[in-house]
């Protein structure tokens, strides 16, 4: 009969997650959504606390002596929005000024977009000592732009990321927030 016992749906970036969820529920198939939007009713979900993780990442950079920290996120991304909120909370709690010119938004989470965004930041000659990249892939692009500039990681610029994917195994090794 090939009946399905249940479905695990990864709905991270799906614009039709509500529609799919409704369809599956109407079929009376057990459903768990991984990293779903938080506005779904009666659906079991496994979520990452993006705001808390970003807060911890920023707090670590502050603890290591950084006061001018770049937030490297993505335009129109709920995940990035929450990670930026965590970053801002850490700055506020540690009584550091939030500088709008250090809050950057690339077009995507890709290393190429992050590279171009950080490359433009270096051209502006703004003073900063650390970058909080909203994903490991973005951190790779930030690392490439930093190394191309002739700077050393972490001696000149510290970089911390979020996700702990295979990308964190780069050289120099990437410091990243683990997502279980």
């Amino acid at each position: 009969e090939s009946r399905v016992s249940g479905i695990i749906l990864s709905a991270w970036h799906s614009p039709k997650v509500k529609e799919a969820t409704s369809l599956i529920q109407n079929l009376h198939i057990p459903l768990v959504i991984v990293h779903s939007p938080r506005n779904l009713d009666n659906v079991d979900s496994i979520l990452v606390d993006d705001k808390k993780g970003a807060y911890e990442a920023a707090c670590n950079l502050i603890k290591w002596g950084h006061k001018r920290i770049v937030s490297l996120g993505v335009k129109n991304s709920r995940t990035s929005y929450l990670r930026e909120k965590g970053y801002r909370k850490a700055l506020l709690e540690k009584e550091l000024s939030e500088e709008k010119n250090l809050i950057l938004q690339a077009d995507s989470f890709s290393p190429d977009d992050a590279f171009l965004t950080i490359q433009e930041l270096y051209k502006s000659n703004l003073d900063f000592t650390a970058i909080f990249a909203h994903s490991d892939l973005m951190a790779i692009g930030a690392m490439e732009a930093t190394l191309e500039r002739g700077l050393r990681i972490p001696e000149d610029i510290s970089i911390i990321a979020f996700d702990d994917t295979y990308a964190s195994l780069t050289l120099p090794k990437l410091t990243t927030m683990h997502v279980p």
Side-chain angles (χ1 to χ4, degrees), residues 143-158:
M143 292 167 86
E144 289 174 359
T146 299
L147 295 172
E148 182 182 271
R149 186 80 173 181
L151 299 171
R152 299 168 300 154
I153 304 166
E155 295 84 0
D156 300 319
I157 299 290
S158 292

Side-chain angles (χ1 to χ4, degrees), residues 7 16 18 26 38-39 44 47 66 78 82-83 88 98 101 105 119 129 140 148-149 156 162 164 166 178:
I7 294 176
K16 297 187 177 187
K18 280 188 171 186
N26 288 339
R38 285 160 176 77
N39 58 351
D44 292 324
L47 303 172
H66 298 285
R78 186 176 198 292
L82 292 169
R83 291 176 184 181
R88 289 173 183 231
E98 178 185 308
N101 54 0
Q105 295 186 331
Q119 196 176 46
T129 60
I140 300 301
E148 182 182 271
R149 186 80 173 181
D156 300 319
F162 201 113
D164 196 20
Y166 69 91
H178 178 70

Side-chain angles (χ1 to χ4, degrees), residues 23-105:
L23 175 69
I24 294 167
Q25 287 177 320
N26 288 339
L27 295 172
H28 304 288
I29 298 172
L31 170 67
V32 174
I33 298 182
V34 179
H35 205 90
S36 70
R38 285 160 176 77
N39 58 351
L40 295 175
D41 296 325
N42 304 316
V43 179
D44 292 324
S45 302
I46 300 170
L47 303 172
V48 172
D49 192 338
D50 292 299
K51 184 178 175 183
K52 181 180 178 191
Y55 168 82
E56 291 175 3
C59 282
N60 279 326
L61 289 170
I62 294 165
K63 180 176 71 176
W64 299 331
H66 298 285
K67 291 180 172 51
R68 296 183 48 85
I69 303 166
V70 171
S71 171
L72 177 59
V74 175
K75 299 173 189 169
N76 303 317
S77 163
R78 186 176 198 292
T79 299
S80 198
Y81 168 78
L82 292 169
R83 291 176 184 181
E84 185 180 306
K85 281 184 76 167
Y87 157 87
R88 289 173 183 231
K89 180 182 177 192
L91 293 181
L92 181 66
E93 276 188 16
K94 304 302 180 184
E95 299 179 356
L96 295 176
S97 63
E98 178 185 308
E99 298 181 50
K100 297 211 183 301
N101 54 0
L102 294 180
I103 298 174
L104 308 177
Q105 295 186 331

